Amino acid sequence: MTASMQFKRSPLAMALLGILHLEPMHPYAIQRRIKEWGKDKVVNVSQRAALYKTIGRLQDAGLVTVRETGRDQQYPERTVYAITEAGRAACAAWLADMIGDPRNEYPEFPAALSFLMLLGPDGARIELERRAKSLRAKLAEMTADAEQAAAMALPRVVMLEDEYLRAVTEAESRWLEGVIADLTAGTLTWSWESLVPHHDTHLETP
């Protein structure tokens, strides 16, 4: 098995290969391009060390290669990387798999919901209301971004991740409002005593 086949993909690695599809770049320019295009909403590039580490792993796997090195006064480093043919093939395969094959990514929120009962009905309502408020502000920001993109006449295909995130956020916001309403009305409630008889049953594997 080759190093490229053994490479454990990640959203950051996929984004790096996607950016390098366009032209060779040095790490700082890659990070800047991801932020300029708003892809940092879906790919975490906040940690420069993680970006360098991922590039190093891609290089070790033969998916990128050093095009040139040098320095100038504008950037602290000028190691320019280019995607290889193996990198292009890997990126295409990753995209097809990531888009066509849904996977459980184990996000934090559902994990926390699975233990929401520990907060009690009042505590749960307070925290869900706090989340709902944050989501409303986020939706307002997303709507403004969408209006700006429409004014710029950007192709829809380059904004699909924003469209998806907005739809998911809208759906979560509606669901949250329903749960909060049930908690407020008392139709969703519990006590520790009421949960104890179901403790073993809930943990049983079907």
Side-chain angles (χ1 to χ4, degrees):
M1 184 177 292
T2 64
S4 61
M5 294 175 64
Q6 293 177 325
F7 190 95
K8 185 176 180 180
R9 74 177 189 227
S10 68
L12 178 56
M14 182 274 298
L16 291 174
L17 292 181
I19 293 293
L20 291 176
H21 251 281
L22 305 176
E23 60 179 310
M25 289 186 187
H26 55 81
Y28 179 82
I30 294 172
Q31 185 183 42
R32 186 181 61 185
R33 179 69 60 85
I34 289 174
K35 291 182 177 180
E36 286 175 350
W37 287 0
K39 307 306 181 185
D40 55 331
K41 298 174 185 176
V42 291
V43 179
N44 185 1
V45 291
S46 60
Q47 300 296 324
R48 188 79 61 85
L51 186 144
Y52 284 124
K53 182 178 180 180
T54 302
I55 290 176
R57 291 176 55 236
L58 289 169
Q59 185 180 2
D60 291 341
L63 303 181
V64 303
T65 187
V66 174
R67 172 63 63 86
E68 62 183 69
T69 58
R71 283 185 173 274
D72 62 27
Q73 295 181 349
Q74 187 176 4
Y75 302 109
E77 71 287 310
R78 288 287 294 180
T79 301
V80 176
Y81 294 90
I83 192 171
T84 64
E85 286 305 313
R88 293 179 187 276
C91 187
W94 294 353
L95 282 171
D97 196 32
M98 293 166 80
I99 291 172
D101 184 15
R103 296 189 179 187
N104 193 340
E105 299 172 350
Y106 301 102
E108 286 187 349
F109 183 50
L113 282 176
S114 70
F115 290 94
L116 184 70
M117 76 286 292
L118 300 180
L119 296 178
D122 290 338
R125 178 180 51 77
I126 289 171
E127 297 309 323
L128 290 175
E129 285 177 341
R130 188 159 67 95
R131 185 180 183 90
K133 181 179 179 181
S134 296
L135 286 183
R136 286 193 293 270
K138 189 175 182 179
L139 278 171
E141 183 179 338
M142 288 178 167
T143 299
D145 289 344
E147 292 173 351
Q148 183 178 10
M152 296 171 63
L154 293 175
R156 184 184 177 192
V157 69
V158 305
M159 301 297 295
L160 283 179
E161 76 274 16
D162 287 349
E163 186 177 310
Y164 167 79
L165 290 174
R166 190 165 66 253
V168 170
T169 305
E170 288 172 349
E172 182 184 334
S173 183
R174 288 193 299 270
W175 178 81
L176 275 174
E177 295 297 342
V179 174
I180 291 168
D182 289 341
L183 285 166
T184 301
T187 56
L188 172 59
T189 189
W190 63 91
S191 66
W192 187 249
E193 291 76 16
S194 68
L195 295 176
V196 169
H198 305 285
H199 180 267
D200 293 335
T201 302
H202 183 67
L203 295 178
E204 286 181 358
T205 302

